[in-house]
Every structure is written in C-alpha cells, then in structure tokens.
Amino acid sequence: MSNHHPEPGDLTLLVSQDGKHFLAKVEAGGSLHTHAGIVQHDDVLAAGWGARVNSHLDKPFTVLRPSIEEVLRTIKRNTQIMYPKEIGYILLKLSIVPGARVIEAGSGSGGLTIALARYATPGGHVYSYDVRPEHLAMALQNVELLGLDQSVTFHERDIESGFIEREVDALFLDVREPWLYLDSVQEALIGGGFFGSLVPTMNQVMRLAEALDRRPFAEVEICEITLRQYRTVPQRIRPLDRLAAHTGYLIFARSRFKGEPAEFNRERESRAAGRDRDRDR
Amino acid sequence: MSNHHPEPGDLTLLVSQDGKHFLAKVEAGGSLHTHAGIVQHDDVLAAGWGARVNSHLDKPFTVLRPSIEEVLRTIKRNTQIMYPKEIGYILLKLSIVPGARVIEAGSGSGGLTIALARYATPGGHVYSYDVRPEHLAMALQNVELLGLDQSVTFHERDIESGFIEREVDALFLDVREPWLYLDSVQEALIGGGFFGSLVPTMNQVMRLAEALDRRPFAEVEICEITLRQYRTVPQRIRPLDRLAAHTGYLIFARSRFKGEPAEFNRERESRAAGRDRDRDR
Amino acid sequence: MSNHHPEPGDLTLLVSQDGKHFLAKVEAGGSLHTHAGIVQHDDVLAAGWGARVNSHLDKPFTVLRPSIEEVLRTIKRNTQIMYPKEIGYILLKLSIVPGARVIEAGSGSGGLTIALARYATPGGHVYSYDVRPEHLAMALQNVELLGLDQSVTFHERDIESGFIEREVDALFLDVREPWLYLDSVQEALIGGGFFGSLVPTMNQVMRLAEALDRRPFAEVEICEITLRQYRTVPQRIRPLDRLAAHTGYLIFARSRFKGEPAEFNRERESRAAGRDRDRDR
Amino acid sequence: MSNHHPEPGDLTLLVSQDGKHFLAKVEAGGSLHTHAGIVQHDDVLAAGWGARVNSHLDKPFTVLRPSIEEVLRTIKRNTQIMYPKEIGYILLKLSIVPGARVIEAGSGSGGLTIALARYATPGGHVYSYDVRPEHLAMALQNVELLGLDQSVTFHERDIESGFIEREVDALFLDVREPWLYLDSVQEALIGGGFFGSLVPTMNQVMRLAEALDRRPFAEVEICEITLRQYRTVPQRIRPLDRLAAHTGYLIFARSRFKGEPAEFNRERESRAAGRDRDRDR
C-alpha cells in the first residue's frame, strides 16, 4: 500500500483549507470543482500523499488517501447511515475478517455494505438485500466507488421470502421490524453464527429482545455507542457544543445450534438479572 | 470459515450457564477445568459450533467460535487494555486493512496488537514496541494464541531511540508522553500516514494537541467513545447500573508531506474555532 | 445563616483527611467515633465553620456546614435513593418553592422527601406515602435529622386507595407501576399542576408514556440525567474510571384542566414527531 | 399558591398547539401576539390554570403557571445561559435555601440570578456583578419579570477590584478566568462557604484546579451534567437525534478556615489519586 503518489483510478480525499472534504477518483485530465476553485487531477497525481495542491484560485488542498472512516463520512447517501462509531464495533462483534460470508438487509446507502465488504475481503462476500431500487442503486454506486463490487451481491428482494444463502457467518438487520425475520436468520446462519441489528426506538428494542428470548439465541447484548468529539484548538479544548445523540440501539446475539432449547438461554438471563440491583417502591 | 465443528487447534469460546467465558485451544485428549466442572475437549470437538456440551458435573456449556470482540474481552492481561469500543473505531480511523504496515507502542498486553494484526492480515504487518519484557511476553503469548505470530514483530526498545521501520501506513502510541515522539512518528510514517494515540488525562490531551499543532499534521480529531450496555431481560430492559466511564481520550491526525508549513493547519483550525460559539463573561 | 461557629444541635459534616464524610448533630459533651479516632463535639463547637479539629488520635477533620447535596449523599438508607443530579432537576421541573404543597409516593429512605421539604419551606408542606413501615421509619428519621418534621406528613397507606390531599401543586411518583395511579394523580393535583415520576426500565417508560397520552396531560418530557465526575489532582485531571450509569428515566407532565380532551395533547405530539427524522428500511 | 386562576400581574406560560412557549405577565385588557393569532389576556384571566383559551384565529393555547425550569428556558438572553440541568445541581451543591446570601459574577442574562434569588427568598439576597451594562440591563429585566428585584443587588463593577460583601454563604463565578479571583473569593466567603464555577474548556479546568489546589479549599469536585431527552410519542420512544452536548465543566469547592494550610487538602487528594487506577506504558 505504501506507494508515495496517487495513481490514476485511486480514490483520493482532498481537504480544503476551511476543512471541507472531497472524495474523487483521480484520472489523468480530470478536474474537481469546489467552492474554492477547480483542482486539476494531474496536479493531484503529481503531488505526493500528504502534500498540498492549489486550485485555479490558488487555494490549497491537502491530498490524502481516505481512511475507511473518511469514506463512510463522505459518501453520497439517500438514507440515514450508520456512523463509524457503530460500524467499528459491529466489525468486531460480528467478527468480520477476510473470508467471512455476510448477509445484510437493507442495503440503505451502502455505508455498512462498504465496511463489511472491505473487511471480509479477500476471500469473503457480502449479500445485501433491499426492496427499494433507489437504495440498491445508491449502494451499488458507493460499492463501485470503493472498487468492492466483486465482493458484494445485491438482491432486490423482500426478506419476508427468506434469505437465499445458507451457512453464512454473520447477518445484520437494519430494518424496521427485525423480529419478524428471526426464523429466516437462523436458517441462513451457520451454527453459532453472529447476528446483529440496529433499531432506533425503545419499542423496537423490546420487541426484538422478546423475540430473541423465545428462540435459541445466546449471548444477547443490547448497547449504544456514543462518540464525543472535541474542538482541537490547543488553547481552547472542549467538547463540541452539539453532538449526534442517537443513531440507534445495537443488539447482538449468537445463533445456537438448532434444537437447543430456548430455556437454556432464559435460565442464564434470569440469573444475571438477579445480580443486578432491582429498584422497588 | 464455515465449517460446522471446531477442529483440533481451533480457538474456542465456552460459555457456562451462568455466563462465564472460557477461551481454549481445543486438542484431542485435552480438558478445561472450570468452576462448573471439567469439560473434555473431545466432547467439544464432537459438538457443532453453537451446540451444547456438558461438564463432568453435567453442567452445560455453549461452544462458540470467539469473535474478535470476545477475544479482546477474554485474553489475559497485565496492563489496562483498550476496549473493543475504542479498537473498532481505531481500525476505521487508521484504515487498518489487509496489507497495512503498522507500528504501535507500547505493546501492553497485546490487545490492540491482536486487532491490528488480525485486520492487517494477509499481506500486512505489525511492529510492536515496548520497554518492559513482561509486557512483551504477555503480548506475544496472546498473539500466539490467535495464531498471528507471523504478522507481528516485537521490539524490546525505548522509542526515544526512534522507530526502526520507515514508510509505515499507520502508527499508534499508547504511551505516557506521546508528544515527545512526534518527530520520530513523522520519520516513520509515509506521507499522509495515519497517526493515533490514547491518553487518559486532560493534561495529556492538551500537551499532545499543542505538539501536533506545531508540526505538519492535518485532520486532528480529539474524541471519546462511550459504550452503554443494557440489561437484556425482555421485561426489564434498562442500562446497566454502572459502566466503564473512561478508558481515555483518542487523538488522531494525518501526517502531512514533509516541508509543508504548520501554518496551513493552524489557519484552518482557527477558522473552525470561529464557527463554534465562544462563551465569555 | 452566617454565624461562624456550629451551635449545639447543628447538623455538621466532618470530613476526615482520607475523604470520609460523617454527619452529626453536635451537642455539648457528645462525641463521634470514626475509623480515625474519636472527635469530641466540644472541639467541633469551639472550632469555626471551615476549620480543623483533631481526633484523640491526632487525625484532622474539617468542620463544614453540610450542603443539601452532602446530606443527600450521606444519610442512611434502606432503599436505592435518587441522586442530587436528579433531585436538582426535579426541584426546577416541579417548581418546588417556598409555599408549595407536594405529594410523593413512595417515601423510600426519605432522600427526595428531605429535598422537597427543605425547598417548600417556609409555607409549604410535603405529604409522603409508603406502604412499608420500615421505609416510613427510615424516612422519618432522616427528616427529623434535618429538623424538617413540621413540614412533612407521612401516610402509611397504599395509593391504590387514592391520595388524601387535594389541589396540591406537585406530585411525584417513585413506584413500580406509576401508570396505575394517574386518575388519582389528576384528582389530587390542582389544574396545571406538576407531575413527575422516576422509573428504571424502558418497559416502564413505555407504559407510563402510553397512559399519559390517553389522559389530559400536557408538556410531557422524558429524560435522563448523567453526572460525570472527574479526578481533581491538577496534574492528572480525568473522568473517574467508573460512574453510576443509570438511576432511572425521569418523566414529567402538566395536569390539564379536567374535561380538556386528550386529543389536544396527542395532536401536538404527532406534529412534533413529524419534525424528528424517522429511520426506515 | 394553590389558587385556581391567574390573577392580574401573574407570570403565565401559554403553550400553542404546535408546542411554542410564550411567557407573559397577564393584565386586564392586555393581549399577546403570536404566530397562531392574538390571545386576549382577559380570556387567560377567566380560564383556570391548566385550561385552554383560543386565539382570535381559534387556535388553542394551554394556560400554565410556569415552572422555574420553564422560565429559565424561555426568558430573553443576550449571552449563552446555563441550563436547568446545571442550575438544579448548583442549587444543591451551594445549598441555596431561604436566607442564603450569595454572590455571582457575571450576571450574564440573569438566568442563574433568577434561580439563586428564587431559592434564597425569603430572607436571603443575591449580589450580582458584571462589567457590561447591556448584560446588567438584560439581567435586571428578567429579575423584574419574576418579581425578584427586591432580592437582587446588581453591581456594575470589575471583580478585579474584589467583592463588596463579606461573609456570604456562597459564591459562583461564571467568568473567563475564575482562577484570578480566588483570593477575593475567600475574602468574601464565610468560613466553610460554598464556591462554584462554570468553565467551558479543559484548559480552564486545569488552571482553576491548580489555583484551588494552592489555596485552602476543601472538597473540590469537577463534574459535567448531561441531560438526554427522549421523543415522547408512545409508539416510538427514542432519544432525540441531537442534544446540547456541552455547556461547561462545573467546579465546586469549600472555603477552608483562613490560616489552614493548603497541604491538608493536597495530602488528602494525593491519597485519593492513589486509589484510582493509573494507566501507564
């Protein structure tokens, strides 16, 4: 990875002096139009990573290889997307490593799709379901921008009909009523496979927790992740005045072997409950 | 990855009915001694992933492939370690993908080392520095447990003498005074390379922010990540009574091309500061 | 209030050098037994507020007038109590000012009772209900310690039978199923009166929100308050490693005039909902 | 307090159906102009607390007695003001009860002034300092709106010249460099008196913590308070998408008796530090 210059076709992040981010595939003869002038791709290709180029208005831009985090923050979207704070944790909880086969539904704008595909490659694959063609089109566009289209298969399909793949390692649901699809989830997952979901409301958390509790799932975790960012001026370091307070609640579980009774799980949970202090009148 | 049974040598997670986690490399003829009895490895090897085995006391255990998150929570340690909530975000911010060459200091108990190596593999490599032999020994033991020893080189070396490698893609400092080593950081990083650090106190945040501000670094981010976990009993879903409030502040930056003046960075920062409301008397 | 010395009968806070807090009514001839020796009340009476006294083991203690916050943290309890972070906000939301007449149920250990009585005095009164004699005894003991017994009436009574008082200004429920008592709440509250409740689980939040929505209540607020404390050593300022993550969710509402239709409230709420972004598949 | 109707001169909160809040002193013959039409004060005076009145456009408004919290959210301001979440905690930490004599600087828009005066009354008094006439004018206007002008004395004076009052019970600094005034703080406070301050940046926290550490202050607390609000539609309860992340860090301390050596305090602090786990390389 450690070449010094962008090469034609490289995805490149250009940062203007006032901190605006532009993501572009640089090609000989191309150009990027910004609020601070036009940047010639040939100048970017000639500059080293980390160097500065100037627009035709003589405004400077820094040339950077985009991190996955920067890509996720910068890509086009037509739906709310998950943030890197959630996606990083999902990668570790679902153990998305090279070789992993993963299902997700829905595709949304492809933010999670990109991250899953980037970390399952080489050797793995992402199967991404959505019912809305406009979501699939946006997600495909973003996956192609990252050059990950060989690692993703999109299905325009309602998951009420179940999933097509079997014995996948992990499955993530970002849908309105995830509890409706848990039988299909268990059919698709390998024994012990990783399940995850994101839901924005308390009501959905309760419905999903109840549904998981009635089925052979283990290791249920419900959590939320908060990212608090600070102003970086050394003389005035302080939390930003406002923050994105809530993307959603994350719920994870492990699929148990078929035929294992749900009671096993429940028994353990109720013991755990006993350890936590109860409040009463 | 999708075989159905653990095979000899596989790292396996065994979960007891009261929720205790045991990490073991299962081998024919081996056994695991727990508070709930002895589990025979042969039973584990015969069980499917996600299935149940019983100890000699007839207590059930679930057999799971450990996620990276479960490994990070369960490995032995002799230092405070970073949590998955931080590590997942670090992976995305430092763009740790297959092929990445990464330096970290110190090695600590090897928690971050494992995650970096797992996600830089195949094709990448981690160079891990520590001055304490007991840390290096613990980190090596954990790296070997994951079978990642081919992907990590440990250096027993004080980083005051600088780093040995050059043109690495990313570099993470988990040391007491990271600001002392920023010249070495820039020598080791490729242009535009990813820098990150974790420090527990406000005082260290200020020292590091000042030092970054005087050097050609761009895209400085200071942040904290909070994980809030909930009780999962469906009838009583609520945040856990106590949570791990603070691991540390995370600071990230991008190395700029050598020779780029620091003023470029400062100018942008002071504009950003102007946008944020100032409080005064 | 500004006399310089404690007087006999004054509630006094003694702080040992290792930071332990002792609350005592100082009386001539009395003494306080601590892990750091015996402190003579006569020495405390002779010392000024803010001064130091020594125990018989020559260990120093600081003599302080206890703040309400210190009282709430230090009093004896046999139930989980609310924290000052919640109580301060409750005082402002329920507008507990001198002259206010307030009902609370249950009494618990009397933590909230003390705060309500202290701020409703002079001129106001607190009516505190509980079914458990041991709670009432503890709450009474704490109220007497603060010298507030003239401002509080305790009822050993199940609130299923309704409240005895009418036209109270504010009413707070810290009970397991607050939604069962909303008709009684409206009977007891004056028009426009202040209602508040604390519940620990999401399930209870939903039940109470539904019940409020079906009745003539306005200005419903659901919130949580977090207090994050920092280590104070100037060279190492940092958040405490662990914090009390969750006391409960607070719910507030205003009683509407009897006969006002609930639709008024619902209509407004659904508009507010439309302003907030919805996430979907 | 428990009369049923607003009376002429009463401060009244009118809430429109789309949730907008209007604060008005209702007078016979007066009127309130809103986006939803004109509301006649005579209609408000005729309505009961908690009842509904209609504007000339037939739009309904709810008539409520404003809580202190609603006043603090609704008053006019020309500076950033503190929020009820902080103010409630400050009241308990500084023990602002009837009879308390309190200094604050600066006056700002009078938000904290109102709360201090409301809770120190009857019998107490607030002395409020500011150097900017426009702040003092706004603060006075808000204090008069609440009818609290007999309980507040404003000083247009730079606190570099010290405070005029002596032996006050509590003192709060909301100024840019509070550490400059600690000698004056101790001169003004009674022995054991309550000190508090709000500062927005880490840099200020450190400067103030260092200055407190060098002087005879005890019981230093550094903290932050977060209020997380939820959407209240019963079918979709969830945290609001964005929240006010940061008002400032709160710092509290108790003035020690003059002549007590600062070492007393430092010794205790360093012991406390030893109990908290230190992170190192």
Side-chain angles (χ1 to χ4, degrees):
Chain A
M1 296 175 60
S2 301
N3 51 319
H4 296 108
H5 291 259
E7 292 185 8
D10 272 2
L11 193 61
T12 305
L13 180 72
L14 290 162
V15 184
S16 66
Q17 199 156 11
D18 57 349
K20 293 221 171 1
H21 285 198
F22 302 89
L23 212 51
K25 259 190 177 153
V26 288
E27 305 285 2
S31 62
L32 173 76
H33 292 246
T34 81
H35 68 299
I38 300 168
V39 178
Q40 297 302 328
H41 284 194
D42 289 338
D43 293 347
V44 175
L45 291 166
W49 290 118
R52 175 205 286 210
V53 295
N54 286 327
S55 73
H56 82 292
L57 298 176
D58 229 31
K59 299 287 188 184
F61 286 76
T62 307
V63 178
L64 294 171
R65 199 193 309 264
S67 70
I68 305 294
E69 187 264 350
E70 286 157 345
V71 167
L72 292 172
R73 276 196 293 133
T74 313
I75 56 169
K76 288 185 190 163
R77 63 198 65 172
N78 51 17
T79 58
Q80 181 175 354
I81 67 160
M82 261 179 276
Y83 291 102
K85 66 187 170 94
E86 273 94 24
I87 290 177
Y89 195 66
I90 290 169
L91 293 174
L92 296 174
K93 285 290 296 186
L94 301 193
S95 232
I96 306 302
V97 290
R101 295 174 64 242
V102 194
I103 288 173
E104 70 158 354
S107 309
S109 298
L112 181 59
T113 322
I114 286 171
L116 295 174
R118 190 69 187 83
Y119 283 95
T121 302
H125 203 84
V126 177
Y127 305 91
S128 184
Y129 290 74
D130 212 300
V131 287
R132 301 199 197 170
E134 70 274 22
H135 288 184
L136 289 162
M138 175 66 79
L140 177 59
Q141 180 183 329
N142 281 322
V143 163
E144 285 175 344
L145 183 73
L146 274 282
L148 291 165
D149 32 316
Q150 297 303 313
S151 299
V152 182
T153 300
F154 287 104
H155 295 301
E156 183 178 336
R157 175 180 164 110
D158 192 328
I159 62 172
E160 285 195 39
S161 318
F163 302 100
I164 296 164
E165 297 76 22
R166 288 295 175 271
E167 308 213 336
V168 298
D169 299 296
L171 194 156
F172 195 87
L173 293 183
D174 180 11
V175 299
R176 193 184 288 273
E177 302 181 294
W179 52 87
L180 297 179
Y181 312 110
L182 292 185
D183 290 336
S184 299
V185 165
Q186 287 202 293
E187 269 180 48
L189 275 177
I190 194 169
F194 299 95
F195 170 72
S197 186
L198 177 84
V199 292
T201 73
M202 285 189 187
N203 312 61
Q204 290 165 302
V205 168
M206 285 176 46
R207 295 290 294 273
L208 182 50
E210 284 163 7
L212 286 168
D213 190 58
R214 286 193 303 268
R215 286 180 179 77
F217 282 94
E219 300 291 298
V220 176
E221 176 179 340
I222 304 174
C223 66
E224 269 183 293
I225 294 180
T226 307
L227 174 70
R228 188 182 210 198
Q229 289 178 300
Y230 288 75
R231 277 179 55 191
T232 60
V233 181
Q235 294 74 33
R236 301 185 65 78
I237 298 177
R238 49 178 289 188
L240 296 185
D241 281 344
R242 300 191 73 78
L243 61 78
H246 186 66
T247 314
Y249 300 97
L250 288 167
I251 303 188
F252 298 100
R254 302 295 296 271
S255 178
R256 293 177 59 77
F257 195 64
K258 281 77 175 172
E260 289 293 335
E263 292 75 40
F264 183 77
N265 191 39
R266 267 207 292 282
E267 183 177 341
R268 185 171 64 73
E269 289 290 352
S270 63
R271 290 188 190 186
R275 285 199 301 270
D276 200 8
R277 181 182 55 218
D278 275 341
R279 179 191 192 82
D280 57 13
R281 191 177 166 180
Chain B
M1 295 177 61
S2 302
N3 52 321
H4 296 107
H5 290 260
E7 293 187 7
D10 272 2
L11 193 61
T12 303
L13 181 73
L14 291 161
V15 184
S16 66
Q17 199 157 12
D18 57 349
K20 294 222 172 0
H21 285 199
F22 302 89
L23 212 50
K25 260 190 177 151
V26 287
E27 306 285 1
S31 61
L32 173 76
H33 292 248
T34 81
H35 67 299
I38 301 169
V39 178
Q40 297 302 328
H41 284 193
D42 289 338
D43 293 347
V44 175
L45 290 165
W49 291 117
R52 175 205 284 211
V53 295
N54 286 327
S55 72
H56 83 291
L57 298 176
D58 229 32
K59 299 287 187 181
F61 286 75
T62 307
V63 178
L64 294 170
R65 201 193 307 266
S67 70
I68 305 294
E69 187 263 348
E70 286 156 346
V71 167
L72 292 171
R73 276 197 291 132
T74 312
I75 57 169
K76 288 184 190 163
R77 63 199 65 176
N78 50 16
T79 60
Q80 180 174 356
I81 67 158
M82 262 181 276
Y83 291 102
K85 65 188 170 89
E86 273 93 26
I87 290 177
Y89 194 66
I90 290 170
L91 293 174
L92 296 173
K93 285 290 295 186
L94 301 193
S95 232
I96 306 302
V97 291
R101 296 175 62 243
V102 194
I103 288 173
E104 71 158 353
S107 310
S109 299
L112 181 59
T113 322
I114 285 171
L116 295 173
R118 190 69 187 85
Y119 283 95
T121 302
H125 203 83
V126 178
Y127 305 91
S128 184
Y129 290 74
D130 212 301
V131 286
R132 302 200 195 171
E134 69 275 23
H135 289 184
L136 289 163
M138 175 66 80
L140 176 60
Q141 181 184 329
N142 282 322
V143 162
E144 284 175 344
L145 183 73
L146 273 282
L148 290 165
D149 32 315
Q150 297 303 312
S151 299
V152 182
T153 301
F154 288 103
H155 295 302
E156 184 178 335
R157 176 183 165 108
D158 192 328
I159 62 172
E160 284 195 39
S161 318
F163 302 101
I164 296 165
E165 297 76 22
R166 289 293 176 272
E167 306 212 336
V168 298
D169 298 298
L171 193 155
F172 194 88
L173 293 183
D174 181 10
V175 298
R176 194 184 287 272
E177 302 181 294
W179 52 87
L180 296 180
Y181 312 110
L182 292 184
D183 290 336
S184 298
V185 165
Q186 287 201 294
E187 270 179 50
L189 276 177
I190 195 169
F194 300 95
F195 170 72
S197 186
L198 177 85
V199 291
T201 73
M202 286 189 185
N203 311 61
Q204 291 165 302
V205 169
M206 284 176 48
R207 294 290 295 273
L208 183 51
E210 284 163 7
L212 286 168
D213 190 59
R214 285 193 304 268
R215 285 181 178 76
F217 283 95
E219 300 290 299
V220 177
E221 176 178 340
I222 304 173
C223 66
E224 270 183 291
I225 294 180
T226 307
L227 173 70
R228 187 183 211 194
Q229 289 179 302
Y230 288 76
R231 278 179 53 188
T232 60
V233 179
Q235 294 75 34
R236 302 184 65 79
I237 298 177
R238 50 176 289 189
L240 295 186
D241 281 344
R242 300 190 73 78
L243 60 77
H246 186 65
T247 314
Y249 300 98
L250 288 168
I251 303 189
F252 297 101
R254 303 296 296 271
S255 178
R256 294 176 58 74
F257 195 64
K258 281 78 173 171
E260 289 293 335
E263 292 75 41
F264 182 79
N265 191 40
R266 267 207 291 283
E267 183 177 341
R268 185 172 65 71
E269 289 290 351
S270 64
R271 290 187 191 187
R275 285 198 303 270
D276 201 7
R277 180 183 55 218
D278 277 340
R279 179 190 191 84
D280 58 13
R281 191 177 165 179
Chain C
M1 298 174 58
S2 302
N3 52 321
H4 295 108
H5 291 259
E7 293 185 7
D10 273 2
L11 192 60
T12 304
L13 180 72
L14 290 161
V15 184
S16 66
Q17 199 158 10
D18 57 348
K20 294 225 171 358
H21 285 199
F22 301 89
L23 213 51
K25 261 191 175 150
V26 287
E27 306 285 2
S31 60
L32 173 75
H33 292 246
T34 80
H35 67 301
I38 300 168
V39 178
Q40 297 302 330
H41 284 194
D42 289 338
D43 293 345
V44 175
L45 291 164
W49 290 118
R52 177 205 285 212
V53 295
N54 286 327
S55 73
H56 83 292
L57 297 176
D58 228 32
K59 298 287 187 183
F61 286 75
T62 307
V63 178
L64 294 170
R65 201 194 306 267
S67 69
I68 305 296
E69 186 262 351
E70 286 157 346
V71 167
L72 292 172
R73 275 197 292 134
T74 312
I75 57 170
K76 289 184 190 162
R77 63 200 63 176
N78 50 16
T79 59
Q80 180 176 355
I81 68 159
M82 261 180 277
Y83 291 102
K85 66 188 170 94
E86 272 94 26
I87 290 177
Y89 194 67
I90 290 169
L91 293 173
L92 296 174
K93 285 290 297 186
L94 301 193
S95 233
I96 306 302
V97 291
R101 296 175 63 244
V102 194
I103 289 174
E104 70 158 354
S107 310
S109 299
L112 180 59
T113 322
I114 286 172
L116 295 173
R118 190 69 188 82
Y119 283 95
T121 303
H125 203 83
V126 178
Y127 305 91
S128 184
Y129 290 73
D130 211 300
V131 286
R132 302 200 195 171
E134 70 274 24
H135 288 185
L136 289 162
M138 175 66 78
L140 176 59
Q141 180 184 330
N142 282 321
V143 162
E144 285 175 343
L145 183 72
L146 274 282
L148 290 165
D149 33 314
Q150 298 303 312
S151 300
V152 182
T153 301
F154 287 102
H155 295 301
E156 183 179 335
R157 176 182 165 106
D158 191 328
I159 62 174
E160 284 194 40
S161 319
F163 302 99
I164 296 164
E165 297 78 20
R166 289 292 175 271
E167 308 212 335
V168 298
D169 299 298
L171 193 154
F172 195 88
L173 293 184
D174 181 11
V175 298
R176 192 185 289 272
E177 302 182 294
W179 52 87
L180 296 179
Y181 312 109
L182 293 184
D183 289 336
S184 298
V185 165
Q186 288 203 293
E187 269 181 49
L189 276 177
I190 195 169
F194 299 95
F195 169 71
S197 185
L198 177 84
V199 291
T201 72
M202 286 188 185
N203 311 62
Q204 290 164 304
V205 168
M206 285 175 47
R207 296 290 294 273
L208 182 50
E210 284 163 7
L212 287 168
D213 190 58
R214 286 193 303 268
R215 285 180 179 75
F217 282 94
E219 299 291 298
V220 176
E221 176 179 339
I222 304 173
C223 65
E224 267 182 295
I225 294 180
T226 307
L227 173 69
R228 188 184 209 194
Q229 289 178 302
Y230 288 76
R231 279 178 54 188
T232 61
V233 180
Q235 294 74 34
R236 303 184 64 79
I237 298 177
R238 50 177 288 188
L240 295 186
D241 282 344
R242 300 190 74 78
L243 58 77
H246 186 67
T247 314
Y249 300 97
L250 288 167
I251 302 188
F252 298 101
R254 302 295 297 269
S255 178
R256 294 177 58 77
F257 196 64
K258 281 77 172 171
E260 289 292 337
E263 290 76 39
F264 183 77
N265 192 38
R266 265 208 292 284
E267 183 177 342
R268 186 174 63 71
E269 288 290 352
S270 64
R271 289 187 192 188
R275 284 199 303 270
D276 200 7
R277 181 181 54 217
D278 276 341
R279 181 190 190 83
D280 57 13
R281 188 178 168 178
Chain D
M1 296 175 58
S2 302
N3 52 320
H4 295 107
H5 292 259
E7 293 186 6
D10 272 2
L11 192 60
T12 304
L13 179 73
L14 291 161
V15 184
S16 66
Q17 198 157 11
D18 56 348
K20 294 222 169 359
H21 285 199
F22 302 89
L23 212 51
K25 260 189 176 154
V26 288
E27 306 285 1
S31 61
L32 172 76
H33 292 247
T34 80
H35 68 299
I38 301 168
V39 178
Q40 297 301 328
H41 285 193
D42 289 339
D43 293 347
V44 175
L45 291 165
W49 290 118
R52 177 205 287 212
V53 295
N54 286 328
S55 73
H56 83 292
L57 297 177
D58 229 31
K59 298 286 188 183
F61 285 76
T62 307
V63 177
L64 295 170
R65 199 194 309 264
S67 70
I68 305 295
E69 186 264 349
E70 285 156 346
V71 167
L72 292 172
R73 275 197 294 133
T74 312
I75 57 169
K76 288 183 190 166
R77 63 199 65 173
N78 50 17
T79 59
Q80 180 176 354
I81 67 159
M82 259 178 279
Y83 291 102
K85 66 188 169 92
E86 272 95 25
I87 290 177
Y89 194 67
I90 290 169
L91 293 173
L92 297 174
K93 284 290 297 185
L94 301 192
S95 233
I96 306 302
V97 292
R101 296 175 62 244
V102 194
I103 289 174
E104 70 158 354
S107 310
S109 298
L112 181 59
T113 322
I114 286 171
L116 295 174
R118 190 70 187 83
Y119 283 96
T121 302
H125 203 82
V126 178
Y127 306 91
S128 184
Y129 289 74
D130 212 302
V131 286
R132 302 200 196 171
E134 70 273 23
H135 288 184
L136 289 162
M138 174 66 79
L140 175 59
Q141 180 183 329
N142 282 322
V143 162
E144 285 176 343
L145 183 72
L146 274 282
L148 290 165
D149 33 315
Q150 297 304 312
S151 300
V152 182
T153 301
F154 287 103
H155 295 303
E156 183 180 336
R157 176 182 164 108
D158 191 328
I159 62 173
E160 283 194 40
S161 318
F163 302 100
I164 296 164
E165 297 77 21
R166 288 294 175 272
E167 306 211 337
V168 298
D169 299 298
L171 193 155
F172 194 87
L173 293 184
D174 181 10
V175 299
R176 193 187 288 273
E177 302 181 294
W179 52 87
L180 296 179
Y181 313 110
L182 292 185
D183 290 336
S184 299
V185 165
Q186 286 202 294
E187 269 181 49
L189 276 177
I190 195 170
F194 298 95
F195 169 72
S197 186
L198 177 84
V199 291
T201 72
M202 285 189 186
N203 311 62
Q204 290 165 303
V205 169
M206 286 175 46
R207 295 290 294 272
L208 183 51
E210 283 163 8
L212 287 167
D213 189 58
R214 287 193 303 268
R215 285 181 179 75
F217 283 94
E219 298 292 297
V220 177
E221 176 179 341
I222 304 173
C223 66
E224 270 183 293
I225 295 180
T226 307
L227 173 69
R228 188 183 209 193
Q229 289 178 301
Y230 288 76
R231 280 179 52 189
T232 60
V233 180
Q235 295 74 33
R236 301 184 65 78
I237 298 177
R238 49 177 287 189
L240 295 186
D241 282 344
R242 300 191 72 79
L243 59 78
H246 186 67
T247 314
Y249 300 97
L250 288 168
I251 303 188
F252 298 101
R254 302 296 295 271
S255 178
R256 294 177 59 77
F257 195 63
K258 281 76 172 172
E260 288 293 336
E263 291 75 42
F264 182 77
N265 191 38
R266 266 207 291 285
E267 183 178 344
R268 185 172 65 71
E269 289 290 351
S270 64
R271 289 186 192 188
R275 284 199 302 271
D276 201 4
R277 181 182 54 218
D278 276 340
R279 181 193 191 80
D280 56 13
R281 189 178 167 180

